Amino acid sequence: MSITRWSDLRRFTEARVGLGRAGNAVPTAAHLDFQEAHAAARDAVWSALDVEALRAELGPVPVLHSEAEDRRTYLLRPDLGRRMRAADRESLPRTGSTVIVVADGLCASGVQRQAAAMVRALEAEWPVVIVQQARVAIGDDIGEAMGAEAVVVLIGERPGLSAQDSMGIYLTWQPRRGRTDAERNCISNIRPGGISLRDAAAKVHWLLRGARALGATGVALKDDMTAAPLLE
Amino acid sequence: MPFRHAIGGTTHVFDDLRTLLARATPFRSGDALAGVAATSAAERVAAQRALADLPLRHFLNEAVIPYEKDDVTRLIQDSHDAAAFAPIAHLTVGGFRDWLLAAEPEVLAPLRRGLTPEMVAAVSKIMRISDLIAVAQKCRVVTRFRNTIGLAGTLSIRLQPNHPTDDLRGVAASTLDGLLMGAGDAVIGVNPATDNIEQVLGLLTMLDEVRTRFDIPTQSCVLCHVTTALLAMERGAPVDLVFQSIGGTQGVNESFGVTLALLREAEDAALSLKRGTLGQDVMYFETGQGSALSAEAHHGVDQQTIEARAYGVARAHAPLLVNSVVGFIGPEYLFDGKQIIRAGLEDHFCGKLLGLPMGVDICYTNHAEADQDDMDTLLTSLGVAGVTYIMGVPGADDVMLAYQSTSFHDGLYARAALGKTPAPEFAAWLERMGIGPGEAIPASLSPALIGLS
C-alpha cells in the first residue's frame, strides 16, 4: 500500500504523527486526546496504593511507610522516600534470604495491577513487604533491617502519556543504606505491551545467579542473558 | 569574607560568596532540598541587596568551589580575559544589571570572555523575567555546520523522532512528519533507547540516508554517550555532531562519565571528519539545573549558579548547539510551571550572555505541577528572548522518554506569532520541496524513498 497522506505515517509508530493541522495548532480532537492522556498520567502520579487489595492477593505481609508523610513531601524530598520510618524498622523479622519489596514509586497503578502476579511468576519462597511513598533505595533500608542476601524492589515507574501501568524491578545484592544506583540492576518497562512478567521473572533469576557468583549487582554484572524475545 | 545586610532591624549574615548567591536565588525546590535556599522572603531580599552591592571584581578573587578541588573552577579562572572585562570592571552586580539593560547590542559580544559564569548567574538573580528577556534578545550567537543557526529573525527546531525500541521505520516516520512541518533545521537528533553501539550505528546510518536522500541542509545526531560516539567514529560511522550531557562541577561531569580532556578528544575526532559544509561547529551539549545535586556534587552551591558554570564548560568548545533540558530532571529540582518558566529564561539568558547558541527543551514530566499552558508561556517568552532553537516532538509527547516537550505544531506557532523563519538554507529547502499545509505528502518527499511503504 502506498503512503501518500501524513496520517498514513501512524502505521509505523505510536508517536503522535500525522495529527493534521488547524492553522498552526493540532485539531480539536487531537488536542483533547492529549489532555485526556495527561490527566490519566497526572492521576496516576497522585493515586494511592490500595494496600488491602494487594494483601488480599499477597497474604498478610508487613506494610511499611517511608519518612515522606504524603505525596507532596514524597515528590519534593526524594531523600525521605528512600528511608523507612524508624518504628517500622524494629517491626521487621530477620531473614537471610532474598526479600521482595513492593513499592508504589511514582505511579501506584503499575504495581497495583502487576506486583502480585509478578511475585507468583518468580516462584520463590521469599518474604514480601509492601511500602508506601517509597523510592527505589528504600529497598536498601529494608533489606539491611531484614539481613537480606538480596532485595528485589518492584516499583511503579514514572507515567508517560501512553503508559500509566509500567513497573520496574531493581535488584541489589547485600542491600544496605548508602548503596548507589550504580550498584543495582534494573529491568524496566514491565507492562502489557512491554516486557512480560514471565520474561522479567526469568531475568530476575538469571541476574540473581550472576550476583551470587560475582558477589555484587550493578555495573559489574552485565545483562548478557541470551536474548529471548522481550515483546509478546 | 562574610556579607551582611540589615532589613527591618534584622541583620542577615552570609558566610561566603556561594552562600550569598544561594540565598539570593528566587525560590526553587532543588535549593531547598540541598538546604541552601533562603529560609524567608526577607532573608532572600537581604541577600539580593547585598549581592547587588558586591563589586564584580570580587568574583575574580573568591571561587564558589575551590580552585584546587575542581577542574571547572580552574577552567573558568584560567580562561578569564581581563581586557574584555575592563569596560565593566568598575561595576557592582547591581550596576551591571542597569548597564546590561541600557547597553547597545553590539557591546555585548566583546564582553563574553571577560564574564565568568558566576557573575552572569549573580546578575540574573536580581533580574525580573522581563529583564532576562530584554537582555538576551540583544545577544546574537551564530553557528554553522551545514546551515546557519542563530541569525536575527530565525527560530530553529531540533527534530526529535524518538522511538521506545529505536525501530528504524518508526524513527523515519516521525522524522518525515517533522520535516513536513518545517522542523529539523537545528538538528535531526534521536535519543537512543539504549547506548548499544550496534543500535547507535543503525540510527546514524539511517538518519544520514534520510538527509542525503532528500538533500536536506541540516545535520543529524544520535545522542549517545561521548565514548560511544568515539567508538562509532572509529568504525567509520557518519557522525555529524558529538553529543554529551555536561554539568558545572568536576563531580557532576564524572557522574556523566566525562572529563574536560575527554570532551576535547571527542571534538578533535569529530573535526577530523570534516563533515560540515558551511562551518565546523561539531559539539552538541545538554545541561539542566539540578544535575549536580542529583549527583551529590554541588558543594553547597545553588543549582542555577552551577548551571551557569556548565556553560563555562561548553564555551571552551565551539558548540553548534547547547540545550537546557529545563523541566526534565523532576519536581524535586523545579517543582511547578512557575519554577520551570523562570529557570528556562535564566538558563537562556546566562548561556547567551556567555556567548553560547542556547536552545531550551521546554518540557515537564508528569510528576511536576505543570502543563501545556506553562509550556506555551515559556515558549512565547523564550521566542521573544530570541531563543536559538526549541524541540520538535510529535504531538509534544515523547513516547520513549515519557515526558512532554514542544511539538512540531508549537514550532510553527512560535515562528508565525513572532515573525521568525527557519535557518535560511533550510527555509530555501522547504520551499524547493514544496512543503506547506495540506494532508498530501509532496512527491519529492515520498516515504518510499526512505523505505516506508
Side-chain angles (χ1 to χ4, degrees):
Chain A
M1 181 183 151
S2 66
I3 310 282
T4 56
R5 297 168 306 150
W6 288 8
S7 49
D8 295 335
L9 297 174
R10 280 183 223 156
R11 187 180 317 166
F12 302 103
T13 176
E14 287 181 12
R16 289 169 201 261
V17 297
L19 297 180
R21 284 170 63 172
N24 289 321
V26 291
T28 301
H31 161 61
L32 292 176
D33 286 348
F34 182 100
Q35 296 297 94
E36 184 178 324
H38 183 238
R42 294 288 296 146
D43 288 346
V45 168
W46 292 86
S47 66
L49 204 56
D50 183 343
V51 171
E52 286 319 309
L54 253 186
R55 289 178 103 206
E57 292 191 84
L58 289 169
V61 303
V63 179
L64 315 175
H65 202 286
S66 79
E67 288 185 11
E69 282 297 314
D70 52 29
R71 205 61 174 161
R72 188 181 161 87
T73 309
Y74 173 82
L75 292 173
L76 282 165
R77 293 290 305 271
D79 53 329
L80 298 182
R82 294 182 192 119
R83 295 198 297 258
M84 70 169 146
R85 288 175 178 164
D88 286 347
R89 168 177 294 270
E90 280 136 36
S91 71
L92 287 171
R94 297 284 294 180
T95 169
S97 76
T98 294
V99 170
I100 298 174
V101 172
V102 178
D104 48 5
L106 277 168
C107 176
S109 46
V111 281
Q112 191 81 56
R113 284 180 210 161
Q114 299 179 91
M118 186 70 227
V119 170
R120 286 193 293 275
L122 284 168
E123 295 180 358
E125 298 297 315
W126 299 328
V128 178
V129 302
I130 296 170
V131 56
Q132 294 170 281
Q133 306 295 6
R135 302 265 175 180
V136 170
I138 205 164
D140 297 341
D141 223 14
I142 296 169
E144 180 179 286
M146 296 177 75
E149 177 185 59
V151 68
V152 178
V153 178
L154 315 184
I155 190 164
E157 288 182 349
R158 189 177 88 189
L161 294 198
S162 46
Q164 292 100 43
D165 57 356
S166 203
M167 183 172 74
I169 300 185
Y170 289 82
L171 265 77
T172 311
W173 184 253
Q174 291 179 346
R176 57 170 183 268
R177 213 179 251 200
R179 289 272 186 219
T180 69
D181 289 341
E183 294 175 289
R184 312 182 203 291
N185 289 83
C186 172
I187 306 164
S188 70
N189 201 27
I190 300 163
R191 68 179 180 95
I195 296 177
S196 72
L197 296 171
R198 194 192 62 203
D199 286 341
K203 197 170 280 281
V204 167
H205 285 296
W206 188 90
L207 286 168
L208 277 178
R209 280 195 298 276
R212 196 166 285 119
L214 188 69
T217 41
V219 290
L221 177 58
K222 286 294 179 203
D223 172 15
D224 53 4
M225 179 177 170
T226 311
L230 292 181
L231 295 173
E232 301 202 306
Chain B
M1 179 187 103
F3 305 90
R4 291 187 168 76
H5 196 89
I7 283 195
T10 304
T11 298
H12 298 269
V13 181
F14 310 100
D15 288 342
D16 48 25
L17 183 58
R18 65 175 186 162
T19 307
L20 181 66
L21 286 166
R23 303 292 192 273
T25 299
F27 179 76
R28 62 204 51 179
S29 50
D31 292 328
L33 180 61
V36 302
T39 51
S40 69
E43 188 191 13
R44 177 168 298 107
V45 78
Q48 289 174 337
R49 283 185 174 277
L51 186 60
D53 289 342
L54 187 68
L56 286 176
R57 281 184 189 284
H58 187 88
F59 288 86
L60 303 176
N61 299 325
E62 184 178 354
V64 295
I65 301 169
Y67 186 91
E68 303 73 32
K69 283 190 181 168
D70 189 274
D71 61 11
V72 178
T73 300
R74 291 195 287 279
L75 175 68
I76 291 166
Q77 297 202 350
D78 295 349
S79 59
H80 183 255
D81 182 337
F85 180 61
I88 53 163
H90 61 291
L91 295 174
T92 60
V93 173
F96 185 41
R97 172 182 173 278
D98 297 339
W99 186 95
L100 284 169
L101 288 163
E104 294 298 325
E106 57 272 16
V107 305
L108 296 178
L111 202 62
R112 289 170 185 166
R113 298 282 161 180
L115 296 171
T116 66
E118 290 86 352
M119 289 178 196
V120 173
V123 74
S124 75
K125 293 176 193 298
I126 57 165
M127 284 182 151
R128 281 178 39 189
I129 277 181
S130 61
D131 302 338
L132 297 170
I133 293 173
V135 175
Q137 195 186 50
K138 294 191 272 191
C139 298
R140 187 63 48 212
V141 181
V142 177
T143 58
R144 291 181 180 85
F145 191 74
R146 286 197 197 93
N147 57 19
T148 314
I149 293 169
L151 293 170
T154 65
L155 172 61
S156 293
I157 297 166
R158 167 183 161 197
L159 203 172
Q160 182 172 299
N162 294 345
H163 188 278
T165 60
D166 291 337
D167 178 79
L168 294 181
R169 300 202 330 157
V171 172
S174 290
T175 303
L176 194 54
D177 194 56
L179 292 170
L180 290 164
M181 303 266 276
D185 53 337
V187 62
I188 302 174
V190 181
N191 298 92
T194 75
D195 218 58
N196 177 290
I197 181 71
E198 297 300 330
Q199 213 144 304
V200 167
L201 291 173
L203 286 166
L204 278 167
T205 306
M206 189 276 284
L207 290 180
D208 203 51
E209 277 174 15
V210 171
R211 181 186 65 77
T212 50
R213 184 66 58 92
F214 295 141
D215 194 24
I216 314 170
T218 191
Q219 36 283 330
S220 67
C221 185
V222 175
L223 283 73
C224 57
H225 192 265
V226 66
T227 51
T228 309
L230 279 164
L231 208 56
M233 285 188 275
E234 274 173 28
R235 297 215 196 163
V239 174
D240 289 345
L241 306 183
V242 171
F243 166 81
Q244 185 54 48
S245 294
I246 56 169
T249 71
Q250 183 173 339
V252 66
N253 285 324
E254 281 166 3
S255 83
F256 290 139
V258 297
T259 60
L260 300 183
L262 183 60
L263 294 176
R264 179 66 57 206
E265 182 190 339
E267 184 170 31
D268 289 344
L271 283 171
S272 73
L273 302 181
K274 297 190 171 60
R275 291 176 57 83
T277 51
L278 299 184
Q280 295 294 342
D281 298 326
V282 296
M283 298 301 280
Y284 177 175
F285 294 119
E286 281 192 356
T287 66
Q289 293 189 24
S291 61
L293 176 56
S294 175
E296 293 179 23
H298 62 100
H299 300 267
V301 179
D302 70 87
Q303 65 186 31
Q304 191 245 343
T305 299
I306 290 184
E307 174 71 7
R309 285 166 53 98
Y311 306 150
V313 174
R315 73 168 173 175
H317 304 267
L320 184 76
L321 307 163
V322 177
N323 182 36
S324 165
V325 192
V326 66
F328 188 76
I329 309 186
E332 61 266 43
Y333 307 107
L334 297 169
F335 187 69
D336 56 14
K338 182 176 172 67
Q339 293 185 14
I340 292 170
I341 288 166
R342 166 103 200 170
L345 289 161
E346 287 170 349
D347 293 352
H348 177 257
F349 162 87
C350 289
K352 277 284 175 67
L353 203 53
L354 291 168
L356 292 171
M358 287 302 295
V360 179
D361 190 346
I362 299 162
C363 65
Y364 62 102
T365 54
N366 287 309
H367 55 310
E369 288 288 321
D371 60 22
Q372 293 305 117
D373 284 345
D374 296 309
M375 300 301 99
D376 292 345
T377 303
L378 180 53
L379 169 60
T380 307
S381 302
L382 280 165
V384 176
V387 69
T388 304
Y389 73 104
I390 59 168
M391 298 297 126
V393 176
D397 169 24
D398 191 301
V399 292
M400 195 276 279
L401 294 169
Y403 79 125
Q404 287 80 250
S405 179
T406 45
S407 66
F408 304 137
H409 296 79
D410 294 328
L412 290 176
Y413 147 76
R415 283 174 179 162
L418 300 163
K420 307 257 187 184
T421 61
E425 301 83 357
F426 193 81
W429 177 81
L430 290 171
E431 195 168 335
R432 199 159 70 237
M433 302 301 276
I435 293 172
E439 167 71 351
I441 299 176
S444 57
L445 251 73
S446 167
L449 290 177
I450 53 171
L452 296 177
S453 58

